[in-house]
Amino acid sequence: ALLTWGNGGIADQALAGAATITSGLDLDFYTVRLSFGDSLLAVVTVPEGSVAPLDQSISIMDSAGTVLAKDLLTPGEVSVAAPYEGEYLLLVSDRSLLDGSPFTGTPREYELSLRRLLRRGDTDGNGFLDYRDAFVVFMLASGLLDLSLVEPRVLAAADIDGDGGVLGDMADFNLLMQRVSFIPA
């Protein structure tokens, strides 16, 4: 299924809705179209009262199948910043089935939701504008980082005002500082 933005009247959310894993060999793939520099958060949840709850596992892959992000720290939740414009693959599976547990025959239900996170300023792609992003944007704007050593997606995210420039553009840093949620003392 191709997931696009704007479903349900929510501009930054695409809902895939309810789905099931029906066998030990069932891996659900979704295609997501992202713009260069977009930040994507994918969340798999299990409905309350599910007879056979899914032990959710989710991965985001590029169009060649290389895993860009996996839910290693938070089961069922993964985020990534898009390194190119185009299609990405999202894989939802049952972790216990991948570990060799037998399939009981009862379909395992889940719900998938995708949300586009903050794009401009979110240099690390974690969906939040925080002190780490402010540090990177300041270092780029002030010329303390060599632009040739920085990934293109980071440069795209650091160009907050969208004027195409980062080096010497303190307006990017000032805009980010207005939006940053928390900077430690």
Side-chain angles (χ1 to χ4, degrees):
L2 178 63
L3 304 178
T4 58
W5 301 116
N7 294 344
I10 303 170
D12 287 336
Q13 193 160 357
L15 298 176
T20 57
I21 298 289
T22 57
S23 75
L25 300 176
D26 187 6
L27 305 174
D28 289 353
F29 281 95
Y30 299 88
T31 304
V32 183
R33 186 154 194 57
L34 298 174
S35 294
F36 174 68
D38 274 350
S39 303
L40 171 73
L41 173 67
V43 179
V44 174
T45 55
V46 177
E48 283 188 39
S50 181
V51 175
L54 180 77
D55 184 6
Q56 63 265 42
S57 176
I58 187 168
S59 302
I60 299 175
M61 296 170 273
D62 64 15
S63 58
T66 302
V67 176
L68 300 175
K70 186 153 176 47
D71 60 345
L72 297 175
L73 300 177
T74 308
E77 183 175 313
V78 66
S79 67
V80 70
Y84 63 90
E85 178 157 344
E87 293 184 350
Y88 294 79
L89 298 173
L90 200 69
L91 167 66
V92 177
S93 58
D94 189 307
R95 193 178 321 273
S96 63
L97 298 176
L98 293 175
D99 290 341
S101 297
F103 186 73
T104 62
T106 305
R108 298 172 190 219
E109 303 171 343
Y110 70 90
E111 292 181 8
L112 171 65
S113 66
L114 304 178
R115 190 163 59 98
R116 183 176 12 206
L117 302 172
L118 300 167
R119 178 179 183 188
R120 297 288 183 191
D122 184 17
T123 58
D124 58 8
N126 68 355
F128 302 100
L129 295 179
D130 56 23
Y131 70 93
R132 290 183 293 271
D133 300 313
F135 179 74
V136 170
V137 171
F138 177 78
M139 296 293 284
L140 288 169
S142 64
L144 296 172
L145 278 178
D146 182 352
L147 297 180
S148 67
L149 299 176
V150 180
E151 291 182 46
R153 68 170 180 79
V154 173
L155 288 175
D159 182 19
I160 298 165
D161 57 14
D163 67 357
V166 176
L167 182 63
D169 193 350
M170 289 308 286
D172 288 325
F173 179 70
N174 293 333
L175 284 171
L176 179 60
M177 291 306 292
Q178 294 170 10
R179 301 174 186 168
V180 167
S181 56
F182 174 74
I183 295 182

